[in-house]
Structure formats: C-alpha cells, structure tokens
Amino acid sequence: RELGIRHLTLYAFSSENWNRPKAEISALFSLLLEFLRREVPLMEEKGIALKVLGDLDGLPLPQRTALRHAMSRTEAGREMTLNLALNYGGRAEILRAAQRFAAQCAAGEAKPEELTEQRFSELMYSAGIPDPELVIRPGGELRISNFLLWQSAYAEYYFTDVLWPDFGPKELDLAIDAFNHRNRRFGGAK
C-alpha cells in the first residue's frame, strides 16, 4: 500500500492444492483464520478491501464464513484491494466464465457473436479488477501454476528463488525495480 500498489492478488490456495496431505491443508486453513482475525481490523482502518477469487463455496464452512464476514467488513475500503486466490485455478475460472456465457445464450440473454474480451472478463472471478502488470513467482519454480491465465496475457513475470515465507520488502523492491526497467510493448514495436 505504501508503494502505491492499488491491487494485490496472492495465490493462497489452488484448486490443485486439495491433493496435498490433509494435515497440511488443515494447517493452511488454520493460518487463514488466524490471518483474518489479526488483519481484518487493520485492513478496515487502512481502507483495504478484501476480495476472494475462486470457488468460495468449496472451502470449509469456518473459512467460508470468516471470509464472507471479512469481505463485508472491508468492502468500503478504497485505498487498496487485496485479492486472495483461494480454491482457485485459472483453467477452472475460464471454463466457469464460458459456462456462464453459454447459460446466458441459452436463456436468450445474449448471442454468441456478442461475446467480447471485455464481456468475457466480466464473467471471471476477477471482474472489476485490473489485469496484473507484474506477476511474481517465488520459490525457484519456473511455471505459472494455473494462475490468472486469462488476466496475465500481458503481465510481466518475475521469477525468484526466494521462498514465499521469506519474500519481504527487499525482494519486492527488487521485483518492482526489474519491472520498471522492462520495455512493455503490448504486442507493438517500441
């Protein structure tokens, strides 16, 4: 927030993460409840709105309830939006948007030829959120892991060996500096 970042999306739990050991999943969801208890009052104070990208209904009831409460408490936040990608997968998001548009067509509310990139974007979990300019991939992995596939079409990627728990202000400054030195052409020639 202090750097002027208006939208931050964290990939907190993918739809594929359900394949992890049950003890690990339980620990991650306990951390989520702890995070919400600790941070939501501060988010309200600082004007940070919390949103969830992903299948909220597929989460355990305590987390689902706490997230809905947190989103309600922070919805007036205008300084920044924190998006938590939970039970999220990029392919599933695209499929869901396509199904939603197909249902609109079947109901006579739309025609296939009316589908545009903008209209499709409005059917995504991320509707109303700008596409990312920078995607940071920590942990030494060189893959995008099914994250914001549609939205990151023109994002710059920054890969680092630093593990997520150790990724702090210094690493963020390095990523932003690298981003600021890139020539973003969006398919054009500059």
Side-chain angles (χ1 to χ4, degrees):
R1 188 177 59 79
E2 291 87 10
L3 297 174
I5 296 170
R6 300 285 314 216
H7 297 271
L8 176 67
T9 302
L10 301 176
Y11 204 0
F13 191 84
S14 76
S15 50
E16 292 83 9
N17 287 155
W18 292 109
N19 296 321
R20 292 179 177 231
K22 289 184 182 190
E24 183 178 340
I25 293 170
S26 179
L28 290 171
F29 282 126
S30 292
L31 285 173
L32 175 61
L33 289 176
E34 180 183 321
F35 166 80
L36 293 171
R37 274 192 295 273
R38 186 182 66 239
E39 298 297 328
V40 167
L42 183 61
M43 291 172 70
E44 280 183 293
E45 178 185 319
K46 300 289 185 183
I48 301 171
L50 176 67
K51 294 189 178 185
V52 172
L53 308 183
D55 180 12
L56 191 58
D57 291 332
L59 296 175
L61 181 60
Q63 285 74 15
R64 188 170 58 229
T65 302
L67 284 162
R68 286 189 172 126
H69 180 71
M71 288 188 292
S72 176
R73 282 182 59 182
T74 63
E75 69 184 345
R78 298 290 177 258
E79 296 299 313
M80 181 180 183
T81 301
L82 173 61
N83 305 298
L84 290 181
L86 289 161
N87 199 21
Y88 174 87
R91 286 182 172 183
E93 179 183 29
I94 292 169
L95 182 60
R96 175 183 168 269
Q99 291 168 337
R100 291 177 73 195
F101 186 72
Q104 290 175 355
C105 290
E109 300 166 2
K111 295 178 183 173
E113 62 272 13
E114 295 173 345
L115 185 61
T116 63
E117 287 186 19
Q118 176 63 36
R119 187 161 185 178
F120 194 74
S121 293
E122 291 167 1
L123 298 169
M124 305 290 272
Y125 289 122
S126 59
I129 300 168
D131 288 344
E133 296 181 78
L134 174 64
V135 176
I136 300 170
R137 181 56 160 109
E141 302 292 347
L142 298 177
R143 63 177 185 269
I144 57 176
S145 297
N146 201 16
F147 181 61
L148 298 178
L149 299 176
W150 174 266
Q151 300 87 338
S152 63
Y154 286 101
E156 295 290 326
Y157 279 81
Y158 179 83
F159 297 92
T160 177
D161 290 333
V162 176
L163 298 173
W164 172 246
D166 301 321
F167 192 92
K170 176 185 168 197
E171 289 77 20
L172 181 59
D173 287 343
L174 290 171
I176 291 172
D177 185 58
F179 171 80
N180 286 334
H181 285 91
R182 296 193 184 171
N183 181 11
R184 302 191 74 209
R185 296 184 302 275
F186 300 98
K190 283 188 185 178

